Amino acid sequence: DAGVTQSPTHLIKTRGQHVTLRCSPISGHKSVSWYQQVLGQGPQFIFQYYEKEERGRGNFPDRFSARQFPNYSSELNVNALLLGDSALYLCASSSRMTDGYTEAFFGQGTRLTVV
Amino acid sequence: GDSVTQMEGPVTLSEEAFLTINCTYTATGYPSLFWYVQYPGEGLQLLLKATKADDKGSNKGFEATYRKETTSFHLEKGSVQVSDSAVYFCASSKAAGNKLTFGGGTRVLVKP
C-alpha cells in the first residue's frame, strides 16, 4: 500500500504569493494533520482534520488555512507568503481520533522556499 | 502549554559507542511519549513509543523508559552503527487526539 503522499516535493514562491500544498493519506485513514518544520527545528503543529472537519489548530496566523475532501485528502493553503514561511511542510495521517494515541504516519514533506 | 525539551546536538560518536539523548516534557495530565527519527531527505518515522508511566518502548536496539517522576523519556542505544546517523525527535501527545508536540531535534553523526 502507498504511504502518505505529498505534492509537490519542492517549490519556490515569491513573497506575497499564495501556495497550495496537497496530501493524500494512507488508504482508510480519516485523519490528516499538517506540521511546519523550519530548518534546524522540530515540527510545529498547524492543523488537524478528521472526517472533513477541523479538530485542532496550532498557533499560526489566519494566512494559513486547510481543508479535507470527501476522499480524505487535504490541502494546506498559505496566503501572502513571507520569507519566514520557508520550511518543510509535513503531512501526517492516522486512522482515527480516539482517547488514546493512534499512530501518525508522515509523508516526506513539501520543501517550500520563499524568495 | 505542553512542551518538549531535548539535548541539542550535534552528537558525534564512533561506531559501537553508547548513545544517550535526553528528553524532558511538560504537560497537563499524562501524555503519550515518542521518539521519531528523520533520515536525510526523508519524513519522520516513528522509532518507539510509551503510553503510560514506567512503560519501556524499544525498537531496532533503541530503548526509552517513561519516567513520570522526572518527566523524562531519554533515548538510549548500546552500540550505534553508521546507519543510525540521523536527526532524532522526542515528542508528546495528549490522550485526546493526535496532535504531537516535538522537541527541537538532536542530530546524531556516527563515524566508522
Side-chain angles (χ1 to χ4, degrees):
Chain A
D1 286 340
V4 178
T5 57
Q6 293 186 241
S7 62
T9 54
H10 297 82
L11 76 165
I12 299 173
K13 291 286 189 178
T14 303
R15 277 178 297 176
Q17 286 189 315
H18 164 90
V19 69
T20 297
L21 311 181
R22 295 177 175 84
C23 172
S24 294
I26 292 171
S27 178
H29 283 194
K30 299 181 178 180
S31 176
V32 169
S33 298
W34 288 95
Y35 291 82
Q36 180 196 64
Q37 185 180 12
V38 173
L39 190 64
Q41 299 181 18
Q44 298 291 316
F45 173 76
I46 310 176
F47 287 110
Q48 181 177 24
Y49 278 77
Y50 178 70
E51 289 282 17
K52 301 179 287 294
E53 293 187 1
E54 182 182 304
R55 297 301 184 99
R57 173 185 287 254
N59 188 23
F60 281 80
D62 292 343
R63 300 184 296 108
F64 288 76
S65 63
R67 55 180 175 169
Q68 187 176 33
F69 299 100
N71 66 354
Y72 302 110
S73 67
S74 179
E75 285 183 353
L76 175 70
N77 296 282
V78 187
N79 293 323
L81 285 167
L82 303 173
L83 295 179
D85 295 331
S86 296
L88 180 69
Y89 288 84
L90 294 166
C91 174
S93 80
S94 55
S95 57
R96 62 192 185 278
M97 286 185 66
T98 67
D99 286 341
Y101 178 76
T102 302
E103 182 174 349
F105 295 84
F106 283 83
Q108 293 196 336
T110 294
R111 174 73 63 187
L112 171 65
T113 302
V114 182
V115 298
Chain B
D2 297 355
S3 66
V4 174
T5 302
Q6 61 183 105
M7 62 187 286
E8 293 188 14
V11 175
T12 303
L13 302 164
S14 297
E15 213 166 15
E16 300 184 1
F18 184 86
L19 170 67
T20 297
I21 305 176
N22 290 339
C23 170
T24 57
Y25 68 91
T26 59
T28 54
Y30 301 102
S32 295
L33 300 173
F34 312 89
W35 279 100
Y36 280 84
V37 59
Q38 188 173 38
Y39 297 103
E42 299 187 13
L44 297 170
Q45 299 176 26
L46 178 64
L47 181 59
L48 54 83
K49 69 178 186 290
T51 57
K52 61 182 185 296
D54 299 325
D55 269 2
K56 177 184 284 188
S58 61
N59 187 25
K60 300 181 181 179
F62 290 88
E63 293 184 341
T65 300
Y66 190 141
R67 300 289 188 196
K68 184 179 65 174
E69 61 277 9
T70 55
T71 62
S72 65
F73 192 56
H74 305 321
L75 182 68
E76 297 180 337
K77 186 174 186 183
S79 177
V80 294
Q81 305 300 313
V82 172
S83 58
D84 293 324
S85 298
V87 181
Y88 293 82
F89 293 94
C90 185
S92 70
S93 178
K94 288 186 174 178
N98 303 116
K99 172 192 170 185
L100 289 159
T101 299
F102 287 90
T106 303
R107 181 174 299 277
V108 173
L109 177 61
V110 181
K111 296 184 175 180

